[in-house]
Amino acid sequence: DMLNAEVAAADVVLDCSDNFATRHAINRACVALRKPLVSGAGVRFDGIVSSPLERALVTANLVNTAHGHEITTDVRLAERAHGRFEGWTVQEITAEVGADQVDDFFQHSAELESWDDVTQRVVASLDAVALDFAGGTALVVSHGGVLDMVWRIVHQLDLNGYRQCQIPNAGINHVVWQDGRWRIVDWALVDHLAGLPPQPVYQTTSA
């Protein structure tokens, strides 16, 4: 197509686009054609809001090296609370509750934070972001369980049950507040990870 032809003819590609879709298309073409890419793109953040958990803050700080904002942490963006199982791996929990019970445990156990409670705090946090950054763009760094609830809220899905969306590790999701509700523009973008080792993807299964 025209984009690939233009990239193929260039020695170096300078990206000065102002939207994610174009940035990712250019990145894909440069990776495929092995052309150096310099980003001068106009998509910038007016602020960064992150879960206070370490793995989220590491990501937020890495991104912030190009933006220089003060990172705001919000505990409401943290992953689902797991009670006495906090810090355990899935494998450790499976060994504790049994492989035949683990799916039901994650969906319905009273030992874990309920998905209703997770959703309420996530909605409150995102609504605060929409108010604080009205007319601007904020980067929100969070976790798979939080993103799952965002997908369910936007698509008006049941809060329980298996995930219905892909949530790649370090993926980008573009969500906007428009006409009094959240709307998903892009989801699970991974073109920026091209050339890196394969990233984990949280598997989904229809309930």
mmCIF file with all atom_site columns, all heavy atoms in Angstrom, residues 72-96:
data_model
loop_
_atom_site.group_PDB
_atom_site.id
_atom_site.type_symbol
_atom_site.label_atom_id
_atom_site.label_alt_id
_atom_site.label_comp_id
_atom_site.label_asym_id
_atom_site.label_entity_id
_atom_site.label_seq_id
_atom_site.pdbx_PDB_ins_code
_atom_site.Cartn_x
_atom_site.Cartn_y
_atom_site.Cartn_z
_atom_site.occupancy
_atom_site.B_iso_or_equiv
_atom_site.pdbx_formal_charge
_atom_site.auth_seq_id
_atom_site.auth_comp_id
_atom_site.auth_asym_id
_atom_site.auth_atom_id
_atom_site.pdbx_PDB_model_num
ATOM 1   N N   . THR A 1 72 ? 1.073   10.574  39.651 1.00 0.00 ? 72 THR A N   1
ATOM 2   C CA  . THR A 1 72 ? 0.077   10.475  40.714 1.00 0.00 ? 72 THR A CA  1
ATOM 3   C C   . THR A 1 72 ? -0.288  9.010   40.903 1.00 0.00 ? 72 THR A C   1
ATOM 4   O O   . THR A 1 72 ? -0.569  8.304   39.940 1.00 0.00 ? 72 THR A O   1
ATOM 5   C CB  . THR A 1 72 ? -1.188  11.268  40.342 1.00 0.00 ? 72 THR A CB  1
ATOM 6   O OG1 . THR A 1 72 ? -0.857  12.643  40.138 1.00 0.00 ? 72 THR A OG1 1
ATOM 7   C CG2 . THR A 1 72 ? -2.238  11.158  41.444 1.00 0.00 ? 72 THR A CG2 1
ATOM 8   N N   . THR A 1 73 ? -0.254  8.523   42.128 1.00 0.00 ? 73 THR A N   1
ATOM 9   C CA  . THR A 1 73 ? -0.664  7.152   42.389 1.00 0.00 ? 73 THR A CA  1
ATOM 10  C C   . THR A 1 73 ? -2.081  7.134   42.957 1.00 0.00 ? 73 THR A C   1
ATOM 11  O O   . THR A 1 73 ? -2.490  8.039   43.685 1.00 0.00 ? 73 THR A O   1
ATOM 12  C CB  . THR A 1 73 ? 0.285   6.445   43.364 1.00 0.00 ? 73 THR A CB  1
ATOM 13  O OG1 . THR A 1 73 ? 0.335   7.166   44.596 1.00 0.00 ? 73 THR A OG1 1
ATOM 14  C CG2 . THR A 1 73 ? 1.682   6.342   42.777 1.00 0.00 ? 73 THR A CG2 1
ATOM 15  N N   . ASP A 1 74 ? -2.811  6.101   42.605 1.00 0.00 ? 74 ASP A N   1
ATOM 16  C CA  . ASP A 1 74 ? -4.196  5.952   43.065 1.00 0.00 ? 74 ASP A CA  1
ATOM 17  C C   . ASP A 1 74 ? -4.408  4.485   43.413 1.00 0.00 ? 74 ASP A C   1
ATOM 18  O O   . ASP A 1 74 ? -4.367  3.615   42.540 1.00 0.00 ? 74 ASP A O   1
ATOM 19  C CB  . ASP A 1 74 ? -5.170  6.381   41.962 1.00 0.00 ? 74 ASP A CB  1
ATOM 20  C CG  . ASP A 1 74 ? -6.618  6.421   42.448 1.00 0.00 ? 74 ASP A CG  1
ATOM 21  O OD1 . ASP A 1 74 ? -6.921  5.797   43.485 1.00 0.00 ? 74 ASP A OD1 1
ATOM 22  O OD2 . ASP A 1 74 ? -7.453  7.062   41.776 1.00 0.00 ? 74 ASP A OD2 1
ATOM 23  N N   . VAL A 1 75 ? -4.621  4.196   44.693 1.00 0.00 ? 75 VAL A N   1
ATOM 24  C CA  . VAL A 1 75 ? -4.779  2.819   45.150 1.00 0.00 ? 75 VAL A CA  1
ATOM 25  C C   . VAL A 1 75 ? -5.988  2.152   44.509 1.00 0.00 ? 75 VAL A C   1
ATOM 26  O O   . VAL A 1 75 ? -6.063  0.915   44.428 1.00 0.00 ? 75 VAL A O   1
ATOM 27  C CB  . VAL A 1 75 ? -4.873  2.782   46.690 1.00 0.00 ? 75 VAL A CB  1
ATOM 28  C CG1 . VAL A 1 75 ? -6.180  3.391   47.168 1.00 0.00 ? 75 VAL A CG1 1
ATOM 29  C CG2 . VAL A 1 75 ? -4.690  1.352   47.206 1.00 0.00 ? 75 VAL A CG2 1
ATOM 30  N N   . ARG A 1 76 ? -6.936  2.951   44.021 1.00 0.00 ? 76 ARG A N   1
ATOM 31  C CA  . ARG A 1 76 ? -8.125  2.374   43.385 1.00 0.00 ? 76 ARG A CA  1
ATOM 32  C C   . ARG A 1 76 ? -7.799  1.691   42.058 1.00 0.00 ? 76 ARG A C   1
ATOM 33  O O   . ARG A 1 76 ? -8.617  0.955   41.511 1.00 0.00 ? 76 ARG A O   1
ATOM 34  C CB  . ARG A 1 76 ? -9.179  3.461   43.177 1.00 0.00 ? 76 ARG A CB  1
ATOM 35  C CG  . ARG A 1 76 ? -9.717  4.042   44.477 1.00 0.00 ? 76 ARG A CG  1
ATOM 36  C CD  . ARG A 1 76 ? -10.618 5.224   44.249 1.00 0.00 ? 76 ARG A CD  1
ATOM 37  N NE  . ARG A 1 76 ? -9.904  6.344   43.641 1.00 0.00 ? 76 ARG A NE  1
ATOM 38  C CZ  . ARG A 1 76 ? -10.452 7.535   43.408 1.00 0.00 ? 76 ARG A CZ  1
ATOM 39  N NH1 . ARG A 1 76 ? -11.725 7.761   43.718 1.00 0.00 ? 76 ARG A NH1 1
ATOM 40  N NH2 . ARG A 1 76 ? -9.741  8.506   42.868 1.00 0.00 ? 76 ARG A NH2 1
ATOM 41  N N   . LEU A 1 77 ? -6.592  1.918   41.538 1.00 0.00 ? 77 LEU A N   1
ATOM 42  C CA  . LEU A 1 77 ? -6.155  1.273   40.300 1.00 0.00 ? 77 LEU A CA  1
ATOM 43  C C   . LEU A 1 77 ? -5.356  -0.006  40.554 1.00 0.00 ? 77 LEU A C   1
ATOM 44  O O   . LEU A 1 77 ? -4.880  -0.637  39.612 1.00 0.00 ? 77 LEU A O   1
ATOM 45  C CB  . LEU A 1 77 ? -5.309  2.241   39.474 1.00 0.00 ? 77 LEU A CB  1
ATOM 46  C CG  . LEU A 1 77 ? -6.037  3.463   38.916 1.00 0.00 ? 77 LEU A CG  1
ATOM 47  C CD1 . LEU A 1 77 ? -5.039  4.443   38.311 1.00 0.00 ? 77 LEU A CD1 1
ATOM 48  C CD2 . LEU A 1 77 ? -7.076  3.046   37.876 1.00 0.00 ? 77 LEU A CD2 1
ATOM 49  N N   . ALA A 1 78 ? -5.226  -0.388  41.817 1.00 0.00 ? 78 ALA A N   1
ATOM 50  C CA  . ALA A 1 78 ? -4.466  -1.587  42.152 1.00 0.00 ? 78 ALA A CA  1
ATOM 51  C C   . ALA A 1 78 ? -5.210  -2.838  41.684 1.00 0.00 ? 78 ALA A C   1
ATOM 52  O O   . ALA A 1 78 ? -6.423  -2.823  41.452 1.00 0.00 ? 78 ALA A O   1
ATOM 53  C CB  . ALA A 1 78 ? -4.210  -1.654  43.649 1.00 0.00 ? 78 ALA A CB  1
ATOM 54  N N   . GLU A 1 79 ? -4.464  -3.932  41.558 1.00 0.00 ? 79 GLU A N   1
ATOM 55  C CA  . GLU A 1 79 ? -5.059  -5.204  41.182 1.00 0.00 ? 79 GLU A CA  1
ATOM 56  C C   . GLU A 1 79 ? -6.020  -5.676  42.272 1.00 0.00 ? 79 GLU A C   1
ATOM 57  O O   . GLU A 1 79 ? -5.994  -5.176  43.402 1.00 0.00 ? 79 GLU A O   1
ATOM 58  C CB  . GLU A 1 79 ? -3.936  -6.235  40.944 1.00 0.00 ? 79 GLU A CB  1
ATOM 59  C CG  . GLU A 1 79 ? -4.396  -7.570  40.385 1.00 0.00 ? 79 GLU A CG  1
ATOM 60  C CD  . GLU A 1 79 ? -5.111  -7.461  39.046 1.00 0.00 ? 79 GLU A CD  1
ATOM 61  O OE1 . GLU A 1 79 ? -6.308  -7.068  39.056 1.00 0.00 ? 79 GLU A OE1 1
ATOM 62  O OE2 . GLU A 1 79 ? -4.510  -7.768  38.006 1.00 0.00 ? 79 GLU A OE2 1
ATOM 63  N N   . ARG A 1 80 ? -6.887  -6.597  41.930 1.00 0.00 ? 80 ARG A N   1
ATOM 64  C CA  . ARG A 1 80 ? -7.844  -7.173  42.867 1.00 0.00 ? 80 ARG A CA  1
ATOM 65  C C   . ARG A 1 80 ? -7.124  -7.677  44.122 1.00 0.00 ? 80 ARG A C   1
ATOM 66  O O   . ARG A 1 80 ? -6.096  -8.334  44.042 1.00 0.00 ? 80 ARG A O   1
ATOM 67  C CB  . ARG A 1 80 ? -8.566  -8.337  42.182 1.00 0.00 ? 80 ARG A CB  1
ATOM 68  C CG  . ARG A 1 80 ? -9.653  -9.001  42.987 1.00 0.00 ? 80 ARG A CG  1
ATOM 69  C CD  . ARG A 1 80 ? -10.124 -10.252 42.275 1.00 0.00 ? 80 ARG A CD  1
ATOM 70  N NE  . ARG A 1 80 ? -11.351 -10.765 42.806 1.00 0.00 ? 80 ARG A NE  1
ATOM 71  C CZ  . ARG A 1 80 ? -11.879 -11.940 42.456 1.00 0.00 ? 80 ARG A CZ  1
ATOM 72  N NH1 . ARG A 1 80 ? -11.240 -12.705 41.568 1.00 0.00 ? 80 ARG A NH1 1
ATOM 73  N NH2 . ARG A 1 80 ? -13.012 -12.359 42.986 1.00 0.00 ? 80 ARG A NH2 1
ATOM 74  N N   . ALA A 1 81 ? -7.679  -7.359  45.300 1.00 0.00 ? 81 ALA A N   1
ATOM 75  C CA  . ALA A 1 81 ? -7.092  -7.806  46.557 1.00 0.00 ? 81 ALA A CA  1
ATOM 76  C C   . ALA A 1 81 ? -7.375  -9.291  46.764 1.00 0.00 ? 81 ALA A C   1
ATOM 77  O O   . ALA A 1 81 ? -8.495  -9.756  46.547 1.00 0.00 ? 81 ALA A O   1
ATOM 78  C CB  . ALA A 1 81 ? -7.656  -6.996  47.713 1.00 0.00 ? 81 ALA A CB  1
ATOM 79  N N   . HIS A 1 82 ? -6.349  -10.037 47.177 1.00 0.00 ? 82 HIS A N   1
ATOM 80  C CA  . HIS A 1 82 ? -6.469  -11.485 47.307 1.00 0.00 ? 82 HIS A CA  1
ATOM 81  C C   . HIS A 1 82 ? -6.412  -11.971 48.754 1.00 0.00 ? 82 HIS A C   1
ATOM 82  O O   . HIS A 1 82 ? -6.195  -13.163 49.005 1.00 0.00 ? 82 HIS A O   1
ATOM 83  C CB  . HIS A 1 82 ? -5.367  -12.171 46.496 1.00 0.00 ? 82 HIS A CB  1
ATOM 84  C CG  . HIS A 1 82 ? -5.629  -12.176 45.023 1.00 0.00 ? 82 HIS A CG  1
ATOM 85  N ND1 . HIS A 1 82 ? -5.644  -11.023 44.262 1.00 0.00 ? 82 HIS A ND1 1
ATOM 86  C CD2 . HIS A 1 82 ? -5.921  -13.190 44.163 1.00 0.00 ? 82 HIS A CD2 1
ATOM 87  C CE1 . HIS A 1 82 ? -5.914  -11.331 43.002 1.00 0.00 ? 82 HIS A CE1 1
ATOM 88  N NE2 . HIS A 1 82 ? -6.090  -12.625 42.911 1.00 0.00 ? 82 HIS A NE2 1
ATOM 89  N N   . GLY A 1 83 ? -6.627  -11.073 49.722 1.00 0.00 ? 83 GLY A N   1
ATOM 90  C CA  . GLY A 1 83 ? -6.693  -11.504 51.106 1.00 0.00 ? 83 GLY A CA  1
ATOM 91  C C   . GLY A 1 83 ? -5.439  -12.234 51.548 1.00 0.00 ? 83 GLY A C   1
ATOM 92  O O   . GLY A 1 83 ? -4.319  -11.780 51.319 1.00 0.00 ? 83 GLY A O   1
ATOM 93  N N   . ARG A 1 84 ? -5.610  -13.405 52.183 1.00 0.00 ? 84 ARG A N   1
ATOM 94  C CA  . ARG A 1 84 ? -4.456  -14.161 52.679 1.00 0.00 ? 84 ARG A CA  1
ATOM 95  C C   . ARG A 1 84 ? -3.599  -14.709 51.546 1.00 0.00 ? 84 ARG A C   1
ATOM 96  O O   . ARG A 1 84 ? -2.472  -15.154 51.776 1.00 0.00 ? 84 ARG A O   1
ATOM 97  C CB  . ARG A 1 84 ? -4.912  -15.297 53.586 1.00 0.00 ? 84 ARG A CB  1
ATOM 98  C CG  . ARG A 1 84 ? -5.635  -16.450 52.887 1.00 0.00 ? 84 ARG A CG  1
ATOM 99  C CD  . ARG A 1 84 ? -6.094  -17.479 53.899 1.00 0.00 ? 84 ARG A CD  1
ATOM 100 N NE  . ARG A 1 84 ? -6.805  -18.582 53.294 1.00 0.00 ? 84 ARG A NE  1
ATOM 101 C CZ  . ARG A 1 84 ? -6.231  -19.730 52.913 1.00 0.00 ? 84 ARG A CZ  1
ATOM 102 N NH1 . ARG A 1 84 ? -4.923  -19.892 53.054 1.00 0.00 ? 84 ARG A NH1 1
ATOM 103 N NH2 . ARG A 1 84 ? -6.953  -20.694 52.385 1.00 0.00 ? 84 ARG A NH2 1
ATOM 104 N N   . PHE A 1 85 ? -4.116  -14.654 50.323 1.00 0.00 ? 85 PHE A N   1
ATOM 105 C CA  . PHE A 1 85 ? -3.359  -15.145 49.175 1.00 0.00 ? 85 PHE A CA  1
ATOM 106 C C   . PHE A 1 85 ? -2.568  -14.028 48.474 1.00 0.00 ? 85 PHE A C   1
ATOM 107 O O   . PHE A 1 85 ? -1.999  -14.252 47.413 1.00 0.00 ? 85 PHE A O   1
ATOM 108 C CB  . PHE A 1 85 ? -4.302  -15.799 48.156 1.00 0.00 ? 85 PHE A CB  1
ATOM 109 C CG  . PHE A 1 85 ? -4.962  -17.050 48.667 1.00 0.00 ? 85 PHE A CG  1
ATOM 110 C CD1 . PHE A 1 85 ? -6.243  -17.003 49.190 1.00 0.00 ? 85 PHE A CD1 1
ATOM 111 C CD2 . PHE A 1 85 ? -4.292  -18.260 48.635 1.00 0.00 ? 85 PHE A CD2 1
ATOM 112 C CE1 . PHE A 1 85 ? -6.852  -18.152 49.666 1.00 0.00 ? 85 PHE A CE1 1
ATOM 113 C CE2 . PHE A 1 85 ? -4.894  -19.415 49.106 1.00 0.00 ? 85 PHE A CE2 1
ATOM 114 C CZ  . PHE A 1 85 ? -6.185  -19.358 49.630 1.00 0.00 ? 85 PHE A CZ  1
ATOM 115 N N   . GLU A 1 86 ? -2.571  -12.848 49.073 1.00 0.00 ? 86 GLU A N   1
ATOM 116 C CA  . GLU A 1 86 ? -1.849  -11.714 48.470 1.00 0.00 ? 86 GLU A CA  1
ATOM 117 C C   . GLU A 1 86 ? -0.382  -12.080 48.269 1.00 0.00 ? 86 GLU A C   1
ATOM 118 O O   . GLU A 1 86 ? 0.300   -12.550 49.182 1.00 0.00 ? 86 GLU A O   1
ATOM 119 C CB  . GLU A 1 86 ? -1.957  -10.482 49.361 1.00 0.00 ? 86 GLU A CB  1
ATOM 120 C CG  . GLU A 1 86 ? -1.746  -9.174  48.640 1.00 0.00 ? 86 GLU A CG  1
ATOM 121 C CD  . GLU A 1 86 ? -2.892  -8.846  47.692 1.00 0.00 ? 86 GLU A CD  1
ATOM 122 O OE1 . GLU A 1 86 ? -4.066  -8.903  48.102 1.00 0.00 ? 86 GLU A OE1 1
ATOM 123 O OE2 . GLU A 1 86 ? -2.598  -8.544  46.519 1.00 0.00 ? 86 GLU A OE2 1
ATOM 124 N N   . GLY A 1 87 ? 0.091   -11.873 47.039 1.00 0.00 ? 87 GLY A N   1
ATOM 125 C CA  . GLY A 1 87 ? 1.488   -12.169 46.729 1.00 0.00 ? 87 GLY A CA  1
ATOM 126 C C   . GLY A 1 87 ? 1.737   -13.582 46.259 1.00 0.00 ? 87 GLY A C   1
ATOM 127 O O   . GLY A 1 87 ? 2.849   -13.898 45.827 1.00 0.00 ? 87 GLY A O   1
ATOM 128 N N   . TRP A 1 88 ? 0.709   -14.435 46.323 1.00 0.00 ? 88 TRP A N   1
ATOM 129 C CA  . TRP A 1 88 ? 0.868   -15.807 45.848 1.00 0.00 ? 88 TRP A CA  1
ATOM 130 C C   . TRP A 1 88 ? 0.797   -15.842 44.329 1.00 0.00 ? 88 TRP A C   1
ATOM 131 O O   . TRP A 1 88 ? 0.119   -15.033 43.702 1.00 0.00 ? 88 TRP A O   1
ATOM 132 C CB  . TRP A 1 88 ? -0.245  -16.700 46.404 1.00 0.00 ? 88 TRP A CB  1
ATOM 133 C CG  . TRP A 1 88 ? -0.159  -17.013 47.862 1.00 0.00 ? 88 TRP A CG  1
ATOM 134 C CD1 . TRP A 1 88 ? 0.267   -16.175 48.859 1.00 0.00 ? 88 TRP A CD1 1
ATOM 135 C CD2 . TRP A 1 88 ? -0.552  -18.234 48.488 1.00 0.00 ? 88 TRP A CD2 1
ATOM 136 N NE1 . TRP A 1 88 ? 0.160   -16.792 50.072 1.00 0.00 ? 88 TRP A NE1 1
ATOM 137 C CE2 . TRP A 1 88 ? -0.341  -18.062 49.884 1.00 0.00 ? 88 TRP A CE2 1
ATOM 138 C CE3 . TRP A 1 88 ? -1.068  -19.430 48.041 1.00 0.00 ? 88 TRP A CE3 1
ATOM 139 C CZ2 . TRP A 1 88 ? -0.625  -19.061 50.805 1.00 0.00 ? 88 TRP A CZ2 1
ATOM 140 C CZ3 . TRP A 1 88 ? -1.355  -20.433 48.948 1.00 0.00 ? 88 TRP A CZ3 1
ATOM 141 C CH2 . TRP A 1 88 ? -1.128  -20.258 50.316 1.00 0.00 ? 88 TRP A CH2 1
ATOM 142 N N   . THR A 1 89 ? 1.470   -16.793 43.721 1.00 0.00 ? 89 THR A N   1
ATOM 143 C CA  . THR A 1 89 ? 1.335   -17.004 42.284 1.00 0.00 ? 89 THR A CA  1
ATOM 144 C C   . THR A 1 89 ? 0.094   -17.842 42.015 1.00 0.00 ? 89 THR A C   1
ATOM 145 O O   . THR A 1 89 ? -0.458  -18.498 42.919 1.00 0.00 ? 89 THR A O   1
ATOM 146 C CB  . THR A 1 89 ? 2.557   -17.739 41.709 1.00 0.00 ? 89 THR A CB  1
ATOM 147 O OG1 . THR A 1 89 ? 2.593   -19.071 42.253 1.00 0.00 ? 89 THR A OG1 1
ATOM 148 C CG2 . THR A 1 89 ? 3.849   -17.006 42.053 1.00 0.00 ? 89 THR A CG2 1
ATOM 149 N N   . VAL A 1 90 ? -0.351  -17.826 40.750 1.00 0.00 ? 90 VAL A N   1
ATOM 150 C CA  . VAL A 1 90 ? -1.499  -18.655 40.365 1.00 0.00 ? 90 VAL A CA  1
ATOM 151 C C   . VAL A 1 90 ? -1.207  -20.122 40.645 1.00 0.00 ? 90 VAL A C   1
ATOM 152 O O   . VAL A 1 90 ? -2.074  -20.875 41.123 1.00 0.00 ? 90 VAL A O   1
ATOM 153 C CB  . VAL A 1 90 ? -1.833  -18.449 38.870 1.00 0.00 ? 90 VAL A CB  1
ATOM 154 C CG1 . VAL A 1 90 ? -2.902  -19.439 38.416 1.00 0.00 ? 90 VAL A CG1 1
ATOM 155 C CG2 . VAL A 1 90 ? -2.299  -17.022 38.626 1.00 0.00 ? 90 VAL A CG2 1
ATOM 156 N N   . GLN A 1 91 ? 0.025   -20.534 40.386 1.00 0.00 ? 91 GLN A N   1
ATOM 157 C CA  . GLN A 1 91 ? 0.404   -21.919 40.613 1.00 0.00 ? 91 GLN A CA  1
ATOM 158 C C   . GLN A 1 91 ? 0.308   -22.284 42.101 1.00 0.00 ? 91 GLN A C   1
ATOM 159 O O   . GLN A 1 91 ? -0.157  -23.378 42.462 1.00 0.00 ? 91 GLN A O   1
ATOM 160 C CB  . GLN A 1 91 ? 1.825   -22.172 40.101 1.00 0.00 ? 91 GLN A CB  1
ATOM 161 C CG  . GLN A 1 91 ? 1.984   -22.109 38.590 1.00 0.00 ? 91 GLN A CG  1
ATOM 162 C CD  . GLN A 1 91 ? 1.992   -20.675 38.043 1.00 0.00 ? 91 GLN A CD  1
ATOM 163 O OE1 . GLN A 1 91 ? 2.148   -19.717 38.807 1.00 0.00 ? 91 GLN A OE1 1
ATOM 164 N NE2 . GLN A 1 91 ? 1.837   -20.549 36.739 1.00 0.00 ? 91 GLN A NE2 1
ATOM 165 N N   . GLU A 1 92 ? 0.723   -21.366 42.961 1.00 0.00 ? 92 GLU A N   1
ATOM 166 C CA  . GLU A 1 92 ? 0.657   -21.624 44.400 1.00 0.00 ? 92 GLU A CA  1
ATOM 167 C C   . GLU A 1 92 ? -0.788  -21.696 44.882 1.00 0.00 ? 92 GLU A C   1
ATOM 168 O O   . GLU A 1 92 ? -1.139  -22.548 45.714 1.00 0.00 ? 92 GLU A O   1
ATOM 169 C CB  . GLU A 1 92 ? 1.417   -20.531 45.152 1.00 0.00 ? 92 GLU A CB  1
ATOM 170 C CG  . GLU A 1 92 ? 2.933   -20.605 44.961 1.00 0.00 ? 92 GLU A CG  1
ATOM 171 C CD  . GLU A 1 92 ? 3.647   -19.374 45.478 1.00 0.00 ? 92 GLU A CD  1
ATOM 172 O OE1 . GLU A 1 92 ? 3.001   -18.303 45.628 1.00 0.00 ? 92 GLU A OE1 1
ATOM 173 O OE2 . GLU A 1 92 ? 4.862   -19.469 45.729 1.00 0.00 ? 92 GLU A OE2 1
ATOM 174 N N   . ILE A 1 93 ? -1.635  -20.805 44.375 1.00 0.00 ? 93 ILE A N   1
ATOM 175 C CA  . ILE A 1 93 ? -3.049  -20.834 44.759 1.00 0.00 ? 93 ILE A CA  1
ATOM 176 C C   . ILE A 1 93 ? -3.711  -22.114 44.255 1.00 0.00 ? 93 ILE A C   1
ATOM 177 O O   . ILE A 1 93 ? -4.507  -22.741 44.963 1.00 0.00 ? 93 ILE A O   1
ATOM 178 C CB  . ILE A 1 93 ? -3.774  -19.594 44.221 1.00 0.00 ? 93 ILE A CB  1
ATOM 179 C CG1 . ILE A 1 93 ? -3.229  -18.325 44.899 1.00 0.00 ? 93 ILE A CG1 1
ATOM 180 C CG2 . ILE A 1 93 ? -5.282  -19.707 44.458 1.00 0.00 ? 93 ILE A CG2 1
ATOM 181 C CD1 . ILE A 1 93 ? -3.783  -17.033 44.341 1.00 0.00 ? 93 ILE A CD1 1
ATOM 182 N N   . THR A 1 94 ? -3.373  -22.508 43.038 1.00 0.00 ? 94 THR A N   1
ATOM 183 C CA  . THR A 1 94 ? -3.931  -23.738 42.469 1.00 0.00 ? 94 THR A CA  1
ATOM 184 C C   . THR A 1 94 ? -3.571  -24.945 43.320 1.00 0.00 ? 94 THR A C   1
ATOM 185 O O   . THR A 1 94 ? -4.407  -25.815 43.595 1.00 0.00 ? 94 THR A O   1
ATOM 186 C CB  . THR A 1 94 ? -3.425  -23.944 41.025 1.00 0.00 ? 94 THR A CB  1
ATOM 187 O OG1 . THR A 1 94 ? -3.834  -22.834 40.218 1.00 0.00 ? 94 THR A OG1 1
ATOM 188 C CG2 . THR A 1 94 ? -3.996  -25.227 40.430 1.00 0.00 ? 94 THR A CG2 1
ATOM 189 N N   . ALA A 1 95 ? -2.320  -24.993 43.769 1.00 0.00 ? 95 ALA A N   1
ATOM 190 C CA  . ALA A 1 95 ? -1.885  -26.096 44.614 1.00 0.00 ? 95 ALA A CA  1
ATOM 191 C C   . ALA A 1 95 ? -2.637  -26.104 45.948 1.00 0.00 ? 95 ALA A C   1
ATOM 192 O O   . ALA A 1 95 ? -2.917  -27.165 46.513 1.00 0.00 ? 95 ALA A O   1
ATOM 193 C CB  . ALA A 1 95 ? -0.378  -26.008 44.855 1.00 0.00 ? 95 ALA A CB  1
ATOM 194 N N   . GLU A 1 96 ? -3.005  -24.919 46.437 1.00 0.00 ? 96 GLU A N   1
ATOM 195 C CA  . GLU A 1 96 ? -3.690  -24.803 47.721 1.00 0.00 ? 96 GLU A CA  1
ATOM 196 C C   . GLU A 1 96 ? -5.157  -25.201 47.633 1.00 0.00 ? 96 GLU A C   1
ATOM 197 O O   . GLU A 1 96 ? -5.673  -25.931 48.492 1.00 0.00 ? 96 GLU A O   1
ATOM 198 C CB  . GLU A 1 96 ? -3.570  -23.366 48.241 1.00 0.00 ? 96 GLU A CB  1
ATOM 199 C CG  . GLU A 1 96 ? -4.320  -23.079 49.532 1.00 0.00 ? 96 GLU A CG  1
ATOM 200 C CD  . GLU A 1 96 ? -3.627  -23.640 50.764 1.00 0.00 ? 96 GLU A CD  1
ATOM 201 O OE1 . GLU A 1 96 ? -2.471  -24.091 50.643 1.00 0.00 ? 96 GLU A OE1 1
ATOM 202 O OE2 . GLU A 1 96 ? -4.244  -23.611 51.845 1.00 0.00 ? 96 GLU A OE2 1
#
